[in-house]
Amino acid sequence: MRMRTHHPARTTALATVLTLSLALPACALATPASAASVSTPASARGSAPDAEALRAALAGLPDADATAALVRVGGTGGVWRGSAGVHDLVSGRAADPDARFRVGSTTKVVTAAVVLQLAAEGELDLGRPARHYLPDLIPGAYGHVTVRQLLNHTSGIPAADGTGTNFEEWYAHRFDLHSPRETVVSATAKKPEFAPGTEQHYLNINYTVLGLLVERVTGHSYERETARRILAPLGMRNTYFPGADPDIRGPHNHGYQAVARADGTTEYRDVTVWGTTDGWAAGNMISTTADLERFLTALFRGRVVPRPQLKEMLTLPAGVPGATMSAGLQRYVTPDGTELWLKSGGRWGYNTVIAATRDLSRTLVYSVNSTDAKGQGMNPVAARIVQAAFTP
């Protein structure tokens, strides 16, 4: 199960940056004690979560792949709550199960929900070109790209210029500031990757444009409109948009990136403090597993987006070969044939997933403090969690 995320790093100046360098082999990370907490499954229809398998998925943290993991499994068969690993590698104390973390591209589900609410209210038309709403920003070369094509990544708009091609380059620019408008100008100055609606390429730029569209249509900032429409009504009190602040406010577990040394040892560099203005409406939200679970459940119950527009989130674009992304979500079928709708996210030090069956018989939210959160493959700890959560 491969989940791709695209996040060029952007940041803001800050004097205090914590950087931990451990001249230890990767296997030495298994030394600190890990902690896990589990609730008793509720009595309900459907199969209960496999507590033994889920505990096994978290066993041994911290290790070379992750320093902590927070997991919430729900559904009609009952619930399971677990945490493992450490708050940080210096103190070695147990990970905070209620910690806040960077959700990365999981932000896109919230952005999509705001856009679909506006569509339900008649404030915008999903089939209308985005240039109709942003004529001063979207050039003629992209004049036929519709709002719906931005939502499902079939716009053909290429990625904006980034700030690096590897971790060290991104790290050096972690406090750079990025403007959403400048990001869009950078991307749309290039030639289209393909004709709108003919291919699918998952890129942040689509949701950067959508964030600006929300601001233009409502007259309010993206952050204010999202808080008013989503966060406040659902009681997501531990979820917020950090703006230019590179810190995670409130309780949080540290994130690390494994960096290979010339002598064969591994440095685990603390990447907790990192600016995320490059993500904005595509990926800079901070949240908790409890808040994300509340959002996921409300969304699938039709309490966030009206049912007609919710279909947009559960429908793949027609006529697009190999398409897996809908409006804000991704369709995935497990080896046993279970259909899931999910969204993954990755910022340096943190990987997140929200996933559910359409009938909410099983839901999963996790945050894994991955030591290679931007890697091409799925984190091994995350893969074990997914398998344990959705295997009958």
Side-chain angles (χ1 to χ4, degrees):
M1 180 176 176
R2 181 181 176 183
M3 300 181 186
R4 293 171 55 201
T5 56
H6 299 263
H7 295 290
R10 77 177 174 186
T11 40
T12 112
L14 180 74
T16 56
V17 182
L18 302 178
T19 303
L20 174 68
S21 298
L22 299 181
L24 298 173
C27 61
L29 275 180
T31 303
S34 62
S37 60
V38 185
S39 66
T40 303
S43 176
R45 67 184 185 277
S47 61
D50 188 334
E52 182 177 351
L54 287 162
R55 281 194 294 268
L58 301 186
L61 295 185
D63 63 15
D65 298 311
T67 58
L70 315 177
V71 181
R72 298 175 74 92
V73 180
T76 54
V79 299
W80 189 92
R81 307 287 182 256
S83 65
V86 295
H87 167 269
D88 65 273
L89 292 177
V90 175
S91 72
R93 75 175 190 264
D96 183 347
D98 301 316
R100 294 175 178 178
F101 50 85
R102 303 189 192 281
V103 309
S105 284
T106 308
T107 305
K108 291 182 177 69
V109 191
V110 174
T111 302
V114 173
V115 171
L116 292 171
Q117 283 186 6
L118 290 169
E121 295 163 9
E123 295 297 322
L124 57 81
D125 183 342
L126 299 183
R128 179 166 285 180
R131 192 167 190 260
H132 172 81
Y133 303 100
L134 297 167
D136 55 322
L137 185 62
I138 306 297
Y142 295 96
H144 298 294
V145 172
T146 67
V147 176
R148 180 176 285 110
Q149 289 164 347
L150 293 169
L151 283 166
N152 62 29
H153 301 279
T154 61
S155 69
I157 301 176
D161 294 334
T163 56
T165 58
N166 57 47
F167 169 74
E168 292 295 356
E169 290 178 359
W170 281 313
Y171 186 77
H173 291 277
R174 64 194 180 282
F175 300 130
D176 289 357
L177 289 174
H178 300 257
S179 158
R181 291 185 66 88
E182 291 174 355
T183 299
V184 174
V185 169
S186 168
T188 56
K190 304 173 185 178
K191 294 180 180 179
E193 288 191 334
F194 49 81
T198 61
E199 298 181 34
Q200 186 173 73
H201 187 186
Y202 174 69
L203 289 172
N204 278 355
I205 189 61
N206 295 295
Y207 278 70
T208 301
V209 176
L210 288 171
L212 291 168
L213 189 152
V214 167
E215 293 191 332
R216 181 63 57 85
V217 170
T218 66
H220 301 143
S221 72
Y222 164 80
E223 293 83 358
R224 174 182 171 182
E225 200 65 19
T226 301
R228 183 179 76 84
R229 290 174 171 272
I230 309 293
L231 308 187
L234 294 182
M236 297 172 67
R237 296 181 180 85
N238 289 300
T239 302
Y240 73 98
F241 292 87
D245 185 356
D247 289 301
I248 300 176
R249 301 197 299 267
H252 59 276
N253 300 316
H254 287 228
Y256 296 87
Q257 173 67 24
V259 181
R261 294 180 181 275
D263 63 1
T265 60
T266 300
E267 169 193 353
Y268 290 89
R269 192 175 302 176
D270 194 321
V271 291
T272 309
V273 180
W274 195 302
T276 58
T277 52
D278 63 312
W280 195 51
N284 82 338
M285 194 168 75
I286 289 172
S287 190
T288 64
T289 54
D291 273 8
L292 290 179
E293 184 180 58
R294 185 176 296 112
F295 169 71
L296 177 66
T297 302
L299 179 68
F300 277 60
R301 286 177 176 167
R303 291 177 46 216
V304 178
V305 174
R307 293 287 180 182
Q309 285 70 38
L310 183 59
K311 290 181 180 179
E312 297 278 346
M313 305 187 84
L314 302 170
T315 304
L316 299 181
V320 179
T324 62
M325 307 297 301
S326 61
L329 294 172
Q330 180 178 9
R331 181 178 181 268
Y332 175 75
V333 179
T334 66
D336 74 329
T338 301
E339 181 186 67
L340 303 178
W341 291 89
L342 58 87
K343 188 68 192 77
S344 63
R347 296 296 312 190
W348 297 107
Y350 303 89
N351 281 136
T352 303
V353 155
I354 62 173
T357 55
R358 198 179 289 209
D359 63 359
L360 289 175
S361 59
R362 179 58 49 83
T363 65
L364 169 66
V365 176
Y366 71 64
S367 171
V368 172
N369 290 55
S370 169
T371 59
D372 188 18
K374 294 294 197 174
Q376 290 299 305
M378 189 176 185
N379 179 274
V381 177
R384 295 199 302 267
I385 293 169
V386 172
Q387 183 176 7
F390 290 105
T391 299

